[in-house]
Structures are given as C-alpha cells and as structure tokens.
Amino acid sequence: MYLIAQLFLLFISSVLLTSFINRRWMALALSILLGVFLAMEIASVLLGSNLIDYKFLVHLDFESVWSLKGFFLSQTIVIIVSLVLGPILVYYLSQRWKSSRFANLKVNTLLVGVSLFIMSFRGGVVANLYEVSRLMFVADRSFNEALSGLGIDPGNYTLTSQIKASPG
C-alpha cells in the first residue's frame, strides 16, 4: 500500500508541477521527463518490489531485462505501457488541471509541498533518491584517509601485506 501511495503522490506531483509551466514545449519536456521517471519507478516496483534505490540502479541492465522479457511478460507489458502513457497522461492532465476552476497557485504549491514531504519519509521516492545520490557521488579518498575518518590510526593498522603465515 505504501508503494502505491508513493507512486500516486509522484503522479499527482508530476501533474501539478507540469501545470506550473506556461510554455507548451517546456511543459511537454517536463511531462516527458517526469512521465519516464514515473515509469522507471513502476518498473522498479514490478521488478524489485521497491522504489528506485541503489540496488535497482546498480543492477539495471536493459539487455538483461529485455532478454528475460518472456519470463516477465506481464511486467514488460506494464512497463512499456507506462513508458508510453506516463508522459501523455502527465501532460494531458496538467493541461486539464491548468484550465480547471480548481487550479490555484497556492493550492498547487501546497499539494506539491505536502506530496514531497510525504515522499521524503523513509523508503519514499525523495528519500531513496537522496540515498542514491549520497552513494553514487561519494568523494574519493585514500585508504589512510578512510581509516582516519573511521577513527583508526593508519600507523597501527595491519595491512595484509604485513601478515606472514607459515605452516605448522
């Protein structure tokens, strides 16, 4: 239920964010971007039973997924349909919402803010993206710097090359 709620909030946020854009080509570009992201989240739920996380991104290989399409035929169909219909629905509904009498900048901003807040909870879309970005864009450090960062004195650390073993 939590995953469905997260996907629903992502969809609603995508529609509302796209409705903020007045230029047609920019709204179309944003709806394609957000629709494809929504489709990738759906793919992650179908293939990995979780929202996009580090595990999904590391193991994402379209050749492997495509080669196994026969085993996951229903999931493959849902993913392809969501890739096609996601951007179309986001764009169409954002234009409909923009012309409705309920559309209001304050209401839209509040709804997007609440949605982002809820998606920031542990295991949510925003929280997972934050964790992925932390893991993917970690700074390079030397081994000694990493030891020091853990509170271990590099001078007292025994390296494998310093270990001597003999039989008996």
Side-chain angles (χ1 to χ4, degrees), residues 8-159:
F8 178 74
L9 288 173
L10 179 60
F11 178 72
I12 295 299
S13 297
S14 298
V15 169
L16 293 175
L17 283 171
T18 306
S19 73
F20 286 143
I21 310 297
N22 289 325
R23 290 191 176 176
R24 179 177 232 132
W25 70 271
M26 288 178 76
L28 187 59
L30 183 62
S31 65
I32 290 171
L33 180 72
L34 293 173
V36 168
F37 179 67
L38 178 64
M40 293 304 294
E41 287 285 2
I42 291 170
S44 179
V45 169
L46 290 175
L47 298 174
S49 301
N50 203 356
L51 296 168
I52 290 176
D53 56 1
Y54 185 75
K55 173 186 69 167
F56 177 78
L57 289 178
V58 167
H59 297 295
L60 179 65
D61 178 16
F62 287 111
E63 287 183 29
S64 299
V65 172
W66 191 251
S67 68
L68 297 172
K69 67 184 177 293
F71 294 108
F72 302 105
L73 185 61
S74 60
Q75 290 91 338
T76 304
I77 291 170
V78 170
I79 291 167
I80 290 170
V81 167
S82 65
L83 274 170
V84 172
L85 288 182
I88 294 170
L89 281 173
V90 168
Y91 181 76
Y92 176 74
L93 292 176
S94 71
Q95 299 308 305
R96 295 281 301 198
W97 177 256
K98 193 185 303 189
S99 63
S100 76
R101 64 186 174 109
F102 301 109
N104 180 335
L105 183 62
K106 290 179 184 177
V107 171
N108 287 3
T109 305
L110 178 67
L111 289 174
V112 169
V114 168
S115 295
L116 288 174
F117 175 73
I118 293 171
M119 290 188 290
S120 297
F121 292 154
R122 185 174 187 178
V125 173
V126 174
N128 282 3
L129 287 178
Y130 173 72
E131 286 299 316
V132 166
S133 67
R134 267 185 358 106
L135 293 171
M136 298 285 275
F137 303 112
V138 70
D140 288 336
R141 298 188 332 185
S142 71
F143 184 70
N144 287 340
E145 289 173 342
L147 285 175
S148 297
L150 292 171
I152 300 171
D153 181 21
N156 293 335
Y157 187 81
T158 305
L159 299 172

